Amino acid sequence: MNIVVCLKQVPGTTQVKIDSETNTLIRQGIKNIVNPFDTYALEEGVRLRERYGGKATAISMGPPQAEEMLREVISTGADEAILLSDAAFAGSDTLATSYTLAQAINKIQEYDLIICGRQTIDGDTGQVGPELAEMLRLPFVAYVSKIEEVESGQMRVQRMVEDGHEVIDTPLPGVITVVKEINVPRLPSLRGLARAKRAVIPVWTAEELDIDRNMIGLAGSATRVVKVFFPQRVHHGEILEGDLEDQVESLIDKLREATIT
Ligand SMILES: Cc1cc2nc3c(=O)[nH]c(=O)nc-3n(C[C@H](O)[C@H](O)[C@H](O)COP(=O)(O)OP(=O)(O)OC[C@H]3O[C@@H](n4cnc5c(N)ncnc54)[C@H](O)[C@@H]3O)c2cc1C
């Protein structure tokens, strides 16, 4: 069974700062990590490979430094990793990201299952998984919490819904996004660390993909970040004067006023 796992490198903090001029993330001084949800996607891909044989391939679109993340991913079980990196991919929105990933997966050719995390912790849209399925014209299941079995080109999965679980049979090849309830990701092994050090990670540029230049990067993005801002907090605090009784009376009056208006 050949599995492709999509992983994104994200800033390892929720305290992101935005450049007000360019509306992009200020990345200096921030340590990057594997998007946490993608570690569950990877673990599931590696477990499937261990159970059914085949190969788990990690793929990421990002800047050159994402190679470091892909080495980490090899140390935790991926058989191989591919980095999609090119200045032409910069500024991609989710549509352009999904298109680029889809073209790379088309180039890989032999795959049975594509696994994504449910969402990233920076872009946070949860759109890439379903868009990828649409572009590859493959069946899609979101929020998968368990892969029960894979047999004869079919897969039975459980997906989380608001008040329980659904059990779904879906043909392969297909695309799923996974939730963190699906497994506990393993730590890097010594053997994995040695493999990661030696691994050659191919970098595919736009040139190497069968790609329509109008569908990648900023040009291929249907959306633009026009403005990024933090909502301003408006404080209407008031300190009540007098002794406790006066303060309570005053508070009751104010609450009555507020209820009436
Ligand atoms: C209008 C707009 C402009 C943007 N401009 C920029 C920009 O200039 N520079 C920039 O860095 N970002 C930019 N972004 C963010 C970038 O488009 C998103 O990070 C990217 O499209 C993925 O979306 P997401 O983070 O919401 O992923 P989600 O849809 O939340 O991710 C779901 C899953 O898809 C997979 N996945 C997502 N992204 C990748 C990836 N790159 N490689 C492999 N797998 C992936 C992972 O498995 C992930 O768990 C922009 C976003 C928008 C909306």
Side-chain angles (χ1 to χ4, degrees):
M1 183 174 190
N2 292 323
I3 305 115
V4 177
V5 182
C6 298
L7 304 104
K8 186 182 174 192
Q9 193 181 43
V10 296
T13 173
T14 49
Q15 306 295 308
V16 287
K17 294 203 172 74
I18 306 290
D19 183 326
S20 56
E21 292 290 309
T22 59
N23 286 320
T24 53
L25 289 182
I26 299 172
R27 292 177 190 270
Q28 284 91 336
I30 294 179
K31 189 182 177 313
N32 290 315
I33 57 166
V34 185
N35 176 46
F37 287 108
D38 302 350
T39 60
Y40 300 93
L42 176 70
E43 177 63 30
E44 205 54 28
V46 174
R47 286 186 189 194
L48 287 171
R49 191 274 322 279
E50 288 168 345
R51 199 160 139 195
Y52 298 104
K55 199 162 65 173
T57 304
I59 186 166
S60 185
M61 184 184 103
Q65 57 266 34
E67 187 192 314
E68 186 195 332
M69 171 196 80
L70 288 173
R71 283 194 194 278
E72 196 182 322
V73 157
I74 289 177
S75 74
T76 44
D79 295 286
E80 55 188 41
I82 300 164
L83 174 62
L84 313 178
S85 196
D86 192 316
F89 300 150
S92 295
D93 68 357
T94 62
L95 201 64
T97 301
S98 307
Y99 172 72
T100 310
L101 288 171
Q103 295 311 97
I105 290 167
N106 276 332
K107 183 172 158 131
I108 293 173
Q109 277 186 346
E110 283 179 9
Y111 57 84
D112 302 292
L113 181 64
I114 298 156
I115 312 181
C116 293
R118 62 172 283 181
Q119 71 198 77
T120 61
I121 59 163
D122 61 347
D124 220 2
T125 66
Q127 291 174 0
V128 170
E131 284 178 357
L132 196 52
E134 178 67 25
M135 285 179 185
L136 294 167
R137 298 261 174 250
L138 292 177
F140 173 71
V141 187
Y143 306 129
V144 171
S145 55
K146 187 172 184 186
I147 297 181
E148 288 191 2
E149 61 177 23
V150 180
E151 211 184 328
S152 317
Q154 282 276 128
M155 183 171 70
R156 174 163 293 181
V157 299
Q158 279 184 26
R159 72 181 288 260
M160 271 175 75
V161 288
E162 209 161 296
D163 45 5
H165 288 90
E166 286 175 358
V167 177
I168 294 182
D169 286 335
T170 180
L172 295 175
V175 182
I176 59 171
T177 60
V178 298
V179 292
K180 63 181 171 49
E181 287 72 10
I182 195 164
N183 57 44
V184 178
R186 70 192 69 186
L187 294 170
S189 64
L190 269 180
R191 222 171 122 234
L193 286 167
R195 247 177 17 89
K197 210 170 164 192
R198 286 194 310 269
V200 177
I201 298 179
V203 180
W204 290 355
T205 61
E207 198 68 25
E208 271 129 301
L209 299 175
D210 179 18
I211 238 166
D212 176 347
R213 294 258 171 183
N214 294 317
M215 292 179 73
I216 58 170
L218 259 186
S221 296
T223 53
R224 292 275 183 282
V225 178
V226 183
K227 192 175 177 190
V228 181
F229 63 96
F230 292 101
Q232 280 201 334
R233 284 194 184 167
V234 185
H235 297 283
H236 286 304
E238 188 184 334
I239 296 175
L240 302 175
E241 305 284 347
D243 60 24
L244 188 62
E245 235 169 75
D246 291 343
Q247 286 182 34
V248 170
E249 261 176 42
S250 167
L251 178 63
I252 290 169
D253 289 344
K254 283 178 191 302
L255 287 174
R256 282 213 179 99
E257 264 171 49
T259 322
I260 292 163
T261 51

